[in-house]
């Protein structure tokens, strides 16, 4: 798995950035992209100093949600409430699964914008905007959500089901947080893995993922251009792990659109 700094282990400036991300992304957790950057000395601090104003102003979130809005996704077979109860999902669990799916639909486009702005910086671009303001109010956070399951702690069969939904990042297996949260209900996750497997590489979901990614890419230049010029004494940009960070961003260009599409598909299959 990609290295990550757990929220419970964050201190000082990293903990403060984590708190801002939770507030501004309007979800009660920090995504694995930022948790991974936090393990690399100076990377999260530098990135947030440079691109944070786009999120404090709400400009980045508005662009992200606009890009993902209305994307048509394939339909999964509907899940009955009786089936959920048979799989050990009670009423609270059903609400948590629904909130989990909605949270990844909300957060994943924002992470794509975050990654896109960081990629611009890594390509040597520097913003020259006049400032974006800070009066934006985030929407109500979603939740409560289940914890992220530790993949290594699962029984072999459960781990195999979970990893089947993952991908490779830097030569290591990477399982997106959506599936790690849904693994709190192993029988439900087994169902989700079964119905999603045919869609991992099919044309319809591939087209939906591409539409999300392309729509976000269209928004990136304007958001980047609006960022204020770097401060007179900007933080020193990290130089180590450059290739590894680019590889991680490439992974998120695959998994984040998938989270939007599959989060919608799983959520829409739940009982109304």
């Amino acid at each position: 798995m990609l290295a990550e700094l757990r929220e419970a282990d964050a201190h000082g400036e990293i903990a403060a950035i984590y708190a801002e991300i939770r507030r501004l992304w309007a979800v009660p957790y920090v995504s694995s992209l930022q948790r991974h950057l936090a393990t690399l000395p100076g990377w999260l601090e530098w990135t947030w100093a440079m691109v944070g104003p786009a999120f404090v102003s709400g400009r980045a979130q508005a662009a992200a949600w606009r890009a993902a809005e209305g994307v048509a996704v394939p339909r999964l077979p509907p899940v009955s409430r009786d089936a959920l109860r048979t799989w050990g999902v009670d009423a609270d669990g059903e609400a948590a699964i629904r909130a989990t799916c909605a949270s990844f639909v909300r957060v994943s486009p924002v992470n794509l914008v975050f990654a896109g702005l960081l990629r611009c910086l890594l390509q040597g671009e520097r913003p020259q905007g006049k400032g974006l303001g800070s009066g934006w109010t985030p929407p109500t956070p979603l939740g409560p959500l289940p914890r992220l399951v530790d993949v290594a702690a699962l029984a072999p069969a459960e781990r195999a089901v979970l990893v089947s939904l993952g991908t490779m990042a830097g030569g290591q297996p990477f399982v997106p947080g959506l599936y790690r949260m849904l693994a709190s209900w192993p029988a439900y996750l087994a169902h989700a893995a079964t119905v999603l497997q045919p869609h991992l590489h099919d044309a319809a979901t591939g087209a939906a993922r591409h539409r999300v990614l392309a729509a976000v890419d269209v928004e990136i230049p304007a958001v980047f251009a609006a960022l204020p010029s770097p401060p007179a004494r900007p933080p020193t940009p990290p130089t180590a792990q450059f290739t590894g960070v680019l590889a991680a961003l490439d992974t998120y260009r695959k998994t984040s659109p998938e989270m939007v599409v599959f989060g919608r598909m799983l959520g829409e299959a739940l009982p109304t």
Side-chain angles (χ1 to χ4, degrees):
M1 298 295 291
L2 280 175
E4 58 183 51
L5 179 66
R6 298 187 313 159
E7 294 176 62
D9 297 330
H11 302 284
E13 186 176 1
I14 295 290
I17 294 172
Y18 276 10
E20 277 289 87
I21 289 171
R22 284 191 296 268
R23 182 179 72 85
L24 295 168
W25 270 236
V27 292
Y29 60 89
V30 175
S31 297
S32 53
L33 172 57
Q34 292 85 22
R35 297 198 310 270
H36 176 61
L37 289 177
T39 67
L40 309 174
W43 273 94
L44 184 61
E45 300 94 320
W46 176 72
T47 303
W48 189 247
M50 298 294 283
V51 309
F55 299 91
V56 172
S57 69
R59 175 75 178 265
Q61 296 92 315
W65 295 331
R66 180 168 58 246
E69 185 178 16
V71 172
V73 301
R75 303 285 294 183
L76 293 175
V79 174
S80 71
R81 190 154 281 125
D82 289 336
L84 288 175
R85 300 301 181 264
T86 300
W87 296 330
V89 180
D90 61 14
D92 289 341
E94 180 183 333
I97 289 173
R98 195 182 307 277
T100 299
C101 294
S103 77
F104 279 86
V105 173
R106 172 181 287 185
V107 77
S108 298
V110 182
N111 283 334
L112 278 173
V113 173
F114 180 93
L117 297 176
L118 176 53
R119 186 180 293 275
C120 290
L121 293 172
L122 298 185
Q123 292 170 342
E125 301 178 44
R126 291 297 179 266
Q128 301 294 326
K130 302 298 183 182
L132 289 162
S134 58
W136 182 69
T137 301
T140 302
L142 296 165
L145 302 181
R147 62 182 178 85
L148 286 168
V149 167
D150 180 359
V151 180
L154 293 174
E158 293 178 9
R159 182 166 61 248
V161 170
L162 184 57
V163 171
S164 73
L165 292 167
T167 186
M168 297 299 292
Q172 304 178 63
F174 170 69
V175 180
L178 171 63
Y179 309 130
R180 290 176 63 189
M181 288 187 183
L182 296 182
S184 295
W185 300 275
Y188 173 76
L189 180 70
H191 162 76
T194 300
V195 296
L196 288 179
Q197 283 292 341
H199 295 281
L200 290 176
H201 306 291
D202 75 346
T205 52
R209 293 195 298 266
H210 177 74
R211 284 193 293 272
V212 172
L213 184 60
V216 170
D217 283 347
V218 167
E219 299 280 355
I220 296 293
V223 177
F224 188 85
L227 282 168
S229 301
R233 294 184 177 180
T236 302
T239 55
Q241 298 94 25
F242 189 93
T243 302
V245 170
L246 280 176
L249 297 183
D250 287 341
T251 298
Y252 279 89
R253 283 181 66 81
K254 175 185 181 296
T255 59
S256 291
E258 180 180 294
M259 293 300 95
V260 176
V261 174
F262 286 173
R264 280 265 312 276
M265 291 166 65
L266 290 170
E268 291 173 4
L270 292 171
T272 57

